[in-house]
Amino acid sequence: MFFYIFGFSFYKGTGIDSSMIVFIYLFLYSLFSKRMFKRVASILCSKYFLNIAILYIFINLYALIICIINESDDYSFLMTFLHMFFLIVEGFFLYAFYKIRGTERNILNYLVAVFCIQSLIEWSAFLFSPVKDLINFTKSESTILKGMGYSGVRSNSLASSDFFGLSSAFAIVYLLFFSRQNGTLKLKPYINILIYGLLLTGTFFAGRTGYVGVLIAMIYIVKSLKIKKISWSFFRNLGFALIGILILSGMAVFFLKAVQMNENFENLYNFTFQLFISLTEDNSAKISSLQSLDHMYFTVDPYTFFLGDSFYSNPDGSYY
């Protein structure tokens, strides 16, 4: 599950990544297991999968037509769409694998677990330089340089996406954590507090977008107040939300003391609690993430809005 979700490279962001290794294993397993082969075949022949395939073909054809109209030679989006479709197919293979083993109901638990493992990896890379060097061995030079732009706070994960993609994934995991289908909530309270703490602090290194998931989860909990019969799960989720606030507050105090001794903690504190610092010191809500949005969004003419410019990537490899 970890190899599939994070799809990290084994060398400098190139070559076969971890998700490909998983697919090779599952494909070979399906060839030698009749149950696995039948399960995969039934999924790939289902109307649900066919609709996804048709949608992807339509999107790619439309993008190709736009490129031809604009006389563009930037077809780099094809590889991205192909990779996305590959991951969807692999996801069905993985589900079939869990299904024949009777563990498909534990998929949500596995997701929470792999993100906790990722949080531990991020902390290890942040605290110990040998681990950081090992993590950098899997990343491209451009990713390492971009991470250095955040004073070493980001790009500490063992994943193909260290920035917006990873923080968005953490946001989704928060919502899954509070789901009734999450079996980890049945564990002892102190274990759940540990899991929740790992998810919260792991988001420090992924990006502030991850905490949007926390806000949505809290809104869901508050909305539950409208339900006439409030179950024990409501109070449990509310408790976790409050614990999350306490953890963040405690970490803020911890960083305030740690920054006096360690420059790395100072950088992490400044990045993670930038909004808090801005509100207390400058009486404003200016953070780098919002300032970046100002440059990302701009008005375009109707032609570009409906048909685009047929550019997917810049000459340096970044997104257009």
Side-chain angles (χ1 to χ4, degrees):
M1 177 67 78
F2 186 96
F3 277 42
Y4 168 68
I5 293 295
F6 298 111
F8 58 90
S9 170
F10 292 99
Y11 178 72
K12 300 297 182 181
T14 60
I16 296 178
D17 61 31
S18 60
S19 64
M20 295 179 184
I21 297 296
V22 174
F23 179 77
I24 292 173
Y25 170 78
L26 292 174
F27 181 76
L28 293 176
Y29 186 83
S30 65
L31 293 179
F32 294 98
S33 172
K34 290 184 178 180
R35 289 182 61 200
M36 177 74 172
F37 183 84
K38 290 181 179 180
R39 177 63 62 178
V40 171
S42 65
I43 293 176
L44 297 184
C45 293
S46 65
K47 184 180 293 186
Y48 178 74
F49 176 79
L50 291 177
N51 288 337
I52 294 177
I54 292 172
L55 177 62
Y56 261 77
I57 292 173
F58 172 79
I59 292 174
N60 279 272
L61 286 176
Y62 177 79
L64 281 172
I65 292 172
I66 300 303
C67 283
I68 294 173
I69 292 175
N70 290 327
E71 299 181 353
S72 171
D73 58 354
D74 185 359
Y75 299 102
S76 56
F77 67 89
L78 288 174
M79 288 302 299
T80 299
F81 278 122
L82 180 62
H83 185 250
M84 291 171 62
F85 187 73
F86 164 77
L87 291 176
I88 291 175
V89 173
E90 182 180 358
F92 285 126
F93 268 81
L94 191 59
Y95 175 78
F97 178 77
Y98 288 130
K99 185 70 175 179
I100 65 172
R101 289 174 172 263
T103 57
E104 74 278 5
R105 294 182 179 272
N106 296 327
I107 291 177
L108 188 55
N109 304 345
Y110 299 153
L111 282 171
V112 174
V114 297
F115 274 87
C116 287
I117 294 172
Q118 187 66 266
S119 296
L120 290 173
I121 292 174
E122 290 173 325
W123 273 110
S124 299
F126 176 72
L127 294 172
F128 307 108
S129 56
V131 179
K132 177 67 173 178
D133 293 338
L134 184 61
I135 294 297
N136 283 341
F137 187 76
T138 69
K139 301 185 182 302
S140 64
E141 291 297 328
S142 60
T143 301
I144 295 174
L145 291 174
K146 187 175 181 179
M148 291 173 62
Y150 292 93
S151 302
V153 173
R154 305 180 77 174
S155 188
N156 287 311
S157 63
L158 189 60
S160 59
S161 177
D162 289 275
F163 306 103
F164 179 76
L166 185 61
S167 61
S168 300
F170 266 100
I172 295 173
V173 168
Y174 287 127
L175 302 179
L176 298 178
F177 179 79
F178 286 106
S179 169
R180 294 180 180 179
Q181 304 300 321
N182 180 16
T184 61
L185 291 176
K186 299 178 182 179
L187 300 174
K188 294 182 179 181
Y190 69 87
I191 297 179
N192 278 294
I193 293 174
L194 176 62
I195 293 174
Y196 193 41
L198 282 172
L199 294 177
L200 281 170
T201 58
T203 312
F204 289 172
F205 308 98
R208 289 177 288 260
T209 303
Y211 293 112
V212 174
V214 178
L215 294 175
I216 296 175
M218 292 181 68
I219 292 172
Y220 166 77
I221 293 171
V222 173
K223 188 177 180 181
S224 300
L225 286 170
K226 297 180 180 180
I227 302 176
K228 294 182 179 179
K229 184 179 179 181
I230 300 177
S231 63
W232 161 248
S233 63
F234 165 76
F235 293 103
R236 177 195 60 199
N237 291 342
L238 180 61
F240 280 124
L242 295 175
I243 289 172
I245 295 174
L246 291 175
I247 290 175
L248 287 174
S249 302
M251 292 299 291
V253 174
F254 170 76
F255 285 134
L256 283 172
K257 294 182 178 181
V259 294
Q260 301 174 4
M261 301 177 291
N262 191 295
E263 182 181 352
N264 289 336
F265 277 104
E266 181 180 5
N267 294 331
L268 181 58
Y269 170 75
N270 291 333
F271 173 75
T272 305
F273 299 99
Q274 189 179 28
L275 179 60
F276 171 77
I277 296 171
S278 180
L279 288 172
T280 55
E281 296 183 0
D282 302 328
N283 197 26
S284 65
K286 293 182 179 180
I287 57 175
S288 57
S289 300
L290 295 178
Q291 292 174 345
S292 298
L293 289 176
D294 291 337
H295 301 288
M296 291 173 61
Y297 295 95
F298 49 88
T299 57
V300 296
D301 58 82
Y303 180 87
T304 300
F305 181 81
F306 289 104
L307 297 179
D309 294 325
S310 298
F311 289 105
Y312 182 78
S313 57
N314 293 314
D316 62 355
S318 60
Y319 293 128
Y320 174 69

